[in-house]
Amino acid sequence: MRVFVAVDLPEELHPRIADIQSKFSDFKFKFVNPDIVHITMKFLGEIPEEEIENISKALDSVSCEPFETSVGGLGVFPKPRFAKVIWLGCGGDFEQLHKSIEESLSPFQLAKDLHPFSAHATLARVKYLPKKKKEDFIQLLEELKDIEVGTMQVDSIKLKKSTLTPEGPVYETLHEVKIG
């Protein structure tokens, strides 16, 4: 099964996320349902079902104090003219949490991350951006780059199963770990 470790964004931020996404309604992007927007701490990929219990137990050893984070600031990967992902930034002690997750999962010899960890919540995927709309897109990014969404307490992580469907991914929480 396809799994990842995540921090969910609280329900009270969902309307604000939907509002930000609506500002991009002139573009044909693939938006993430605001109800499932999250911060991916570690993508594990395809894992045999019989390994899930061991991974869950390993995650129980994650050691990090709960912390407050601010959610806001809009950005893209890899860069505005060639955007593939639109994201919201997240402040706070995510580096420590990520490091502890990596350490707890090290016995499983999972694939190394291709990019340095960057705490963010994906809002949309850009499949195609017509040249004539590129400047409008870049201007909108500039207007929203410092947008504030809100704050939240990070006090748990979740091991989630991802099932890909034509309507978008369906996530199921397999295991939750309270941190601290």
Side-chain angles (χ1 to χ4, degrees), residues 1-14:
M1 64 179 62
R2 189 171 193 257
V3 295
F4 62 96
V5 179
V7 171
D8 281 339
L9 269 57
E11 227 174 276
E12 60 265 18
L13 298 184
H14 297 177

Side-chain angles (χ1 to χ4, degrees), residues 74-89 115-122 124-126 137 141:
L74 202 68
V76 297
F77 292 135
K79 50 189 175 184
R81 290 210 168 272
F82 305 100
K84 295 290 175 213
V85 173
I86 303 171
W87 49 260
L88 279 172
H115 305 284
F117 178 74
S118 169
H120 68 279
T122 298
R125 298 194 184 287
V126 179
F137 173 70
L141 281 180

Side-chain angles (χ1 to χ4, degrees), residues 106-173:
S106 63
F108 297 96
Q109 300 174 336
L110 300 163
K112 292 282 178 226
D113 294 332
L114 298 176
H115 305 284
F117 178 74
S118 169
H120 68 279
T122 298
L123 297 183
R125 298 194 184 287
V126 179
K127 299 291 185 198
Y128 175 68
L129 180 59
K131 273 189 177 154
K132 63 182 184 215
K133 289 197 167 213
K134 212 166 262 204
E135 292 308 318
D136 293 344
F137 173 70
I138 290 169
Q139 184 179 342
L140 186 54
L141 281 180
E142 184 61 29
E143 289 169 18
L144 299 174
K145 72 176 184 187
D146 297 322
I147 195 159
E148 292 182 23
V149 176
T151 59
M152 62 183 253
Q153 185 72 10
V154 177
D155 55 10
S156 73
I157 57 172
K158 295 177 181 176
L159 179 64
K160 292 186 171 263
K161 173 183 171 183
S162 172
T163 305
L164 302 178
T165 74
E167 295 78 40
V170 175
Y171 300 143
E172 177 188 342
T173 299

